[in-house]
Amino acid sequence: MNQSVSSFFAKRILSCLLLLGMLTALTACGDSNAASSSDDVNAEIKGIVGTWNEVAIAPRVLTVNEDATYTLDEEYGSVKVDYEEHPDGTKSVWFTFTDDDGEVWTSFAKDEENEVQNDLWSGQDGNWHFMRDGIDEHLTADSYLHTWSCSRCYITFEKKGKGYVATVDWSSSASESTQWTYSCSYDKDSSSMICKKGAARVELTSSGGKEKTKTVYKDGSGSFVIKNGTLRWTDDKENAGADMYFLQIDDQQD
């Protein structure tokens, strides 16, 4: 092979090597951008990463992972951030959950005031509510000062002097209802309201514009505890609150 042919092949080999180097650099650049994009997504959902318990009678467990995926009991999907623009130029931020079939399960509003969220409320109506696992560790006596509901049964807590009074109103019909009254103290160790004695049960009836009351007992006891955002009622006398889960229906009282 003469010198000119050798020179020709040497130049071709050098050109190929340079082209290969450029392609490698471009590929690396592309990977870098993809990684950066993934990191941005992870950063956007950082405040909701963790395990969540649904506030419901039959609660589900939601887990949001650092890689922007989620599990809901046995269901799987991904999470992304969406921005809703308003006519005045402001934006609302939503965490959108899409299942493995590409269908949007729901969207939760981003808490703009806190970097780490402890509550997830779905959509505009807040139909679904999830609380971060372990939030019960931050319960105080004031956490109970609400009205709670389970079907036709309502529980209201009020502060009375150094203690608290829990009133349970349960209507069986428009003219008949039962009321329990518990004088409680707050137990810090169990984060629960406890009535050791003196709980009363009264039956109320109305007919022809007249109301009648009948005291069934005045020697009862019981307790109340909040778990994963739901209130549980334990009636020691007759186990009246068995298998009942109460949801908060009002704003916190003063």
Side-chain angles (χ1 to χ4, degrees), residues 17-53:
L17 290 174
L18 289 173
L19 180 59
L20 179 61
M22 291 176 64
L23 289 173
T24 302
L26 287 172
T27 301
C29 180
D31 289 343
S32 176
N33 289 337
S36 176
S37 176
S38 176
D39 289 343
D40 289 342
V41 172
N42 292 347
E44 286 184 318
I45 70 162
K46 184 178 180 181
I48 63 168
V49 169
T51 302
W52 302 78
N53 298 300

Side-chain angles (χ1 to χ4, degrees), residues 16-205:
C16 289
L17 290 174
L18 289 173
L19 180 59
L20 179 61
M22 291 176 64
L23 289 173
T24 302
L26 287 172
T27 301
C29 180
D31 289 343
S32 176
N33 289 337
S36 176
S37 176
S38 176
D39 289 343
D40 289 342
V41 172
N42 292 347
E44 286 184 318
I45 70 162
K46 184 178 180 181
I48 63 168
V49 169
T51 302
W52 302 78
N53 298 300
E54 186 175 15
V55 180
I57 293 176
R60 296 170 292 178
V61 176
L62 171 67
T63 302
V64 180
N65 304 306
E66 293 182 352
D67 62 354
T69 61
Y70 76 88
T71 60
L72 179 67
D73 288 347
E74 301 299 323
E75 300 175 10
Y76 302 87
S78 59
V79 188
K80 69 173 183 177
V81 175
D82 287 324
Y83 298 88
E84 178 185 7
E85 295 190 13
H86 303 291
D88 61 359
T90 60
K91 294 182 180 180
S92 295
V93 185
W94 297 89
F95 299 108
T96 300
F97 287 66
T98 304
D99 62 27
D100 272 353
D101 294 327
E103 298 292 330
V104 173
W105 164 49
T106 192
S107 293
F108 294 104
K110 176 179 172 59
D111 185 347
E112 301 287 358
E113 297 182 358
N114 298 293
E115 182 177 352
V116 176
Q117 290 188 212
N118 289 321
D119 289 274
L120 292 175
W121 294 90
S122 68
Q124 301 290 348
D125 57 3
N127 191 40
W128 289 326
H129 179 201
F130 287 79
M131 296 181 66
R132 185 179 291 278
D133 187 49
I135 196 65
D136 292 339
E137 299 173 1
H138 305 288
L139 288 173
T140 66
D142 287 347
S143 302
Y144 288 82
L145 298 181
H146 300 280
T147 296
W148 306 77
S149 170
C150 177
S151 187
R152 300 179 66 158
C153 188
Y154 297 86
I155 301 177
T156 302
F157 290 87
E158 296 180 284
K159 186 171 178 57
K160 295 288 186 179
K162 295 182 179 181
Y164 303 84
V165 174
T167 303
V168 182
D169 290 294
W170 196 344
S171 299
S172 55
S173 69
S175 59
E176 297 181 351
S177 64
T178 302
Q179 184 179 86
W180 291 260
T181 304
Y182 298 84
S183 295
C184 302
S185 59
Y186 181 68
D187 182 71
K188 293 183 178 180
D189 293 334
S190 62
S191 300
S192 62
M193 289 286 184
I194 297 176
C195 173
K196 296 183 178 180
K197 61 181 181 178
R201 176 190 167 192
V202 176
E203 293 182 350
L204 301 93
T205 58

Side-chain angles (χ1 to χ4, degrees), residues 206-228:
S206 62
S207 178
K210 295 182 179 180
E211 294 186 354
K212 294 182 180 181
T213 61
K214 176 185 176 182
T215 300
V216 180
Y217 62 77
K218 299 171 67 174
D219 61 346
S221 61
S223 61
F224 304 85
V225 64
I226 297 173
K227 291 292 185 183
N228 299 326

